[in-house]
Amino acid sequence: MSQRTYNELWAEAQIELSRLLVEELPAQPLKPEKDRVVFFQRLAMLYVRYLQILRQLEKVYDQVVHPQKRRLILNTLEGVMGRVLELKNEMVEKDFSEYHYMDDVLHDLKLTPADLEVPIPHYFLRERSEGIQERTAMLTTVLQTLETTGTEKRVTKNMSQDEAIRIIQVAERARQGRLRAALNEASRRLSKIPMTEDPKPADMARAAVRIQKVWRGYVERKKAQAARIEDMIFLGMAPHPKYQAPCEAIVAAHANEKATRNKQKQHEDDYQKSVTAIANHLLEVEGQDIANNMKEQIRQWFIECRNLTGVFPDFPDDDEGGSAILFAEKDYQQLLEEMAENEDDGKNKKGKPDEKKDAKKSKGKDAEEEEGLVMLPSAFLADLEMYNKTFVDFWETRTESRNFDQRHEVELIKEEKRVDIESEIRVKVDEQMRQELADWRLAVEKTPAKVYAKKKAGKGDKKKKKGEKDLTADRTLESLCQEMVEEGLLKQANSVRMQDYLGDFNYLGSTLRQNDIEPMPSMSDVRQLISLYGILPLGSHAVHEKAPLTKAILLAGPSGVGKKMLVHAICQETGATLFDLSPLNIAGKYPGKSGLTMMLHLVFKVARLMQPSVIWIDGAEKMFYKKVPKEERALEPKRLKKDLPKSLKLIKEEDRVLIIGTSKDPISADIKSMCKMYTKVILIPRPDYGSRYVLWKQLIQKHGGAITAALDLSSLSKISDGYTAGHMIQAIQQVITKRRILLQDKRPLTAVEFVAPLAKFSPVFQDEEEALKKWYAKTPLGKKRSKAAAEREEALQAQAKGKGAPKKGKK
C-alpha cells in the first residue's frame, strides 16, 4: 500500500481513539455502576476497541516512513498498549479470572475471534536488531569455545587401538547381521507362495478381463477425483495449485515492504543529521539572546522580591526546576506558597503517614463498596489525550502535497530543539545567576554565601539509601556472560514464535459461564495472556514503567501442553536474554550460602544489563515442595526458596526482567508460598477439540504430510481427546518419515496410522484435569472467584425467598 493509504489508516485510528477518550474522560465523572455484569461489559467493550486501535497503529508504524510521524505514532501506540494492559488488569480484578470470553462483544462489533489476537509489534525486534545480533554472536562464540574444548576432551580420552578396533568390529557385525536377517525374511516370504500349473488360455482371458476392469475403474476414479477438485476450486472451497506457491503479487508485496523499511532507515538517518545541524545553528544564532533574556528576567525577579520583602530570595535548586519555575506566570507570593507546599510534602513523606489521606482512602473504598464499581485511575489516558491533541492540531489538517517523499519537517525540528536548547542554556544560566545572587547579597546585605548554603543544606539533607552491593564490580560483562554460559545459567532461546503455538478459539466459554460452569481455557486464550503479560511489557520500556507491574508468572499444566515453548517464544518475540534457574539445572553449582548469593547476584546483574531478560524456572513446584522426595534430596530443590523472593523485590519498574516458572505438578507444592512469589498464575489445560483439529492439520503439513480426503481429521481429533500437543508431535514424527512422504502419492495418509503410536502415550485423564481445577480454585484469584460466586448464589436465594413471602401471605 502507498504512504497515503497508511496516513488514512492512521487518521481512522485517531478518530476512534478520540471517541474512546471522550467516553473515558467525560466532563462529569460517571456514576458508580452497581451491576457487576454491566460494568464488566463496559470494560470488555473498551478492551476490544482499544485492541483494534492497537492493531491499526502497529500496522501504520511498521510502514510509515516519515520520521516525525513515526515518533508520534510510536508514543500513541505505546499509550494504547498500556491502556489495553490496564483494562485487562481491571477485568481480572473485577471478574476474578485471568480468562474472559467476549462472544457478545465480538457479535456487537461485527468482529471475528481472530480480531481478539494481541498483535506483537514488529519494532520490538527490528529496532533492536543490532544489539540482538551482537548478543547472539557473543553467546555463539562462547558456546563454540565450549564445544571445541569438549571435543578436545573427547579426542584425548585414553583408548587403546585394540579397543577402538573392537568397537568398530561390533558395529559392523551388527550391521551385517541386520542385513542377513532381512534377506532371510524375504526368502521365507517367497517360499510360502504356492506353485501353480501353467495357466490355460481361458484362465488367461479371464485374468486379462479382470486386469482391464481394475485399470478402467482406477482411470475413471482419477477422472472423477480431478473433476471434483476442479469444481471445489471453481467454488472457492479449495486452493488453486497455482497459488499454493508464492505468487507474483505476494513476492512483490514483500519486496515493497523491504523497500519501505530501507526508506525508513534512510529518512531516519537524514532526520538525525538535520536535528544535529539545526541544533548547532540555533545555538550559534539564538543561544546568546536566549541566555541574555533569561538573565534579565531573573535579575528583574531578584529586584521585585527585594522590593516586596526587603531581602533577596532563595534561588530554586535544580531538582525543584531551577529558574524554570520563575517563568510559569506566577508572582513572587505564589512561588513562595508553592515552594512551602513542596517542603511540607517532603516532610510528610519523611515523617509519619498522612492520616487524613489514609482516612480518605478508606472512606473511598467503603463508598465504592456501598455505591458500586468505578474505573481505576489510568497512567496512560493523559498521555493519549496529549498525543491525540498533537495529531489534531498539527497533522490532521496538514497539506503534504509537496512532501511526496515523506521527509522530515524542518520547522517542527526547530520548535522542538528550541525547547531543548532553552533547557540546556537554563542550567548554565542558573549557575551564573546563583553566583551573581551571592555577590548581590554580599554587596547589599553584607551576608556571606556560606550562611545561605548552610540553611539550604539543613533543609535539603536526605539520608542516602543503601544500594545493593556489587560483588563483581571489577569484572566485565563479557566475562560474566562467559562464566554463566559455562555453568549453564545463560542459554540461547529456541527459534519458536507465538504464532507457532497453535490453538483454536473457545466458542462455548460465554455459554458455559452463563450456566455457572467454569470452562477450561483454550490454547488461543493462553496465547493472548502470554502476549499481554509477557511480551508487551518486555518489548516496550515505556509500557513496562507505567503499566501494572508483573514480576513473576507461573505456567501450570500437564506435560506436553507447551509451557517451555511459550517461554522460548517470549524470548524470541522480544529479543530477551534467557536465564535458567531450574532446580535441576543449578544442582551442585555455586555450593554454600556464599555461592548461592553470588549466583543470584550474577543472574540479576546480567539480566538488568542485558534487558529485556527472562529468568526461567522449570519444575517451579520443586522450590516449594511440601515434602521433598528421597530421590531428590541430594539435588537440594528448595535452595532458592528464601533468597529468590528477596531478589525479586529488587526488580523495579525500569527493570524489564520477568521470572517465569513452569510446573507440571503444582499440587505437590505449598500453594501459599508459591502464590506469594508468582503474582500471575496461568492454568494451561490439555487442548480441546477445536485446538486438536488445528494442531493435527498444521503439524502434519509442517512435517511434510498431505491433507487429503483419506485423512479423517475430525475422527482423529475425537479419538485423541486427552492427548497433548507434545504427544501429537511425537506420533507424527513416528508416522511421517522420509519414506512415508515419498509414498503419499500412491498411498495417502490415513487417521488409522496415527492411532498406534498415539496409544503408546498416557493421556491426561479427566481426573487429573479436575485436580488441576481444584488446585487453581485454591489460588488467591480462585478463592476470590469462589467467594463471589457464593455471594451471588446467596443473593439469588434471598431474592427468591423475598419474592415467595408475599405470595404465601396472599394465600
Side-chain angles (χ1 to χ4, degrees), residues 270-303:
D270 294 343
Y271 171 74
Q272 294 296 343
K273 292 176 183 177
S274 182
V275 166
T276 305
I278 291 172
N280 294 334
H281 178 73
L282 288 175
L283 190 61
E284 182 180 351
V285 175
E286 303 178 9
Q288 191 61 40
D289 293 338
I290 293 173
N292 291 336
N293 290 335
M294 286 183 181
K295 289 179 181 178
E296 287 299 325
Q297 290 177 359
I298 294 171
R299 291 191 187 105
Q300 185 65 27
W301 183 69
F302 290 164
I303 295 170

Side-chain angles (χ1 to χ4, degrees), residues 484-677:
M484 295 180 70
V485 171
E486 291 173 356
E487 295 294 338
L489 300 178
L490 179 58
K491 296 183 176 180
Q492 277 189 328
N494 297 338
S495 182
V496 292
R497 308 299 288 268
M498 281 303 296
Q499 62 187 10
D500 298 329
Y501 189 78
L502 305 171
D504 200 8
F505 183 75
N506 192 340
Y507 297 95
L508 295 175
S510 300
T511 306
L512 291 173
R513 277 195 172 173
Q514 288 172 3
N515 294 311
D516 295 329
I517 300 173
E518 184 61 26
M520 291 301 283
S522 69
M523 298 176 78
S524 174
D525 300 323
V526 174
R527 190 168 58 239
Q528 291 176 33
L529 280 189
I530 296 300
S531 298
L532 287 170
Y533 295 150
I535 295 176
L536 295 188
L538 283 180
S540 172
H541 184 76
V543 173
H544 193 275
E545 277 191 331
K546 294 183 179 180
L549 183 60
T550 300
K551 296 183 179 181
I553 300 174
L554 177 66
L555 307 180
S559 179
V561 294
K563 301 184 294 295
K564 178 181 176 182
M565 179 184 178
L566 288 171
V567 174
H568 289 272
I570 291 173
C571 296
Q572 285 293 334
E573 295 289 0
T574 59
T577 312
L578 179 62
F579 300 87
D580 188 357
L581 282 183
S582 305
L584 295 179
N585 187 50
I586 64 173
K589 299 173 184 177
Y590 295 94
K593 179 69 176 176
S594 59
L596 182 61
T597 304
M598 174 60 76
M599 180 180 68
L600 289 175
H601 170 75
L602 281 173
V603 170
F604 280 89
K605 179 181 178 180
V606 177
R608 289 191 185 96
L609 293 174
M610 298 180 69
Q611 58 180 287
S613 300
V614 170
I615 300 174
W616 175 38
I617 303 175
D618 190 21
E621 75 280 355
K622 299 179 186 296
M623 278 177 54
F624 306 98
Y625 266 147
K626 298 173 184 175
K627 184 178 180 182
V628 181
K630 291 182 180 179
E631 60 272 13
E632 295 186 21
R633 286 177 184 172
L635 303 176
E636 296 182 282
K638 300 174 72 172
R639 281 181 72 192
L640 299 175
K641 183 178 180 180
K642 293 182 179 179
D643 294 330
L644 186 59
K646 294 178 182 177
S647 301
L648 184 63
K649 292 179 181 178
L650 300 175
I651 298 177
K652 301 176 182 177
E653 289 82 359
E654 61 268 19
D655 300 326
R656 286 186 290 162
V657 179
L658 179 65
I659 295 179
I660 303 180
T662 56
S663 174
K664 63 181 179 181
D665 185 26
I667 302 172
S668 62
D670 179 22
I671 191 170
K672 187 177 180 180
S673 303
M674 181 181 277
C675 292
K676 191 175 181 181
M677 176 176 167

Side-chain angles (χ1 to χ4, degrees), residues 133-148:
Q133 288 175 2
E134 290 177 2
R135 188 192 64 203
T136 305
M138 181 183 67
L139 293 178
T140 305
T141 304
V142 175
L143 290 171
Q144 287 176 351
T145 305
L146 292 176
E147 288 176 2
T148 305

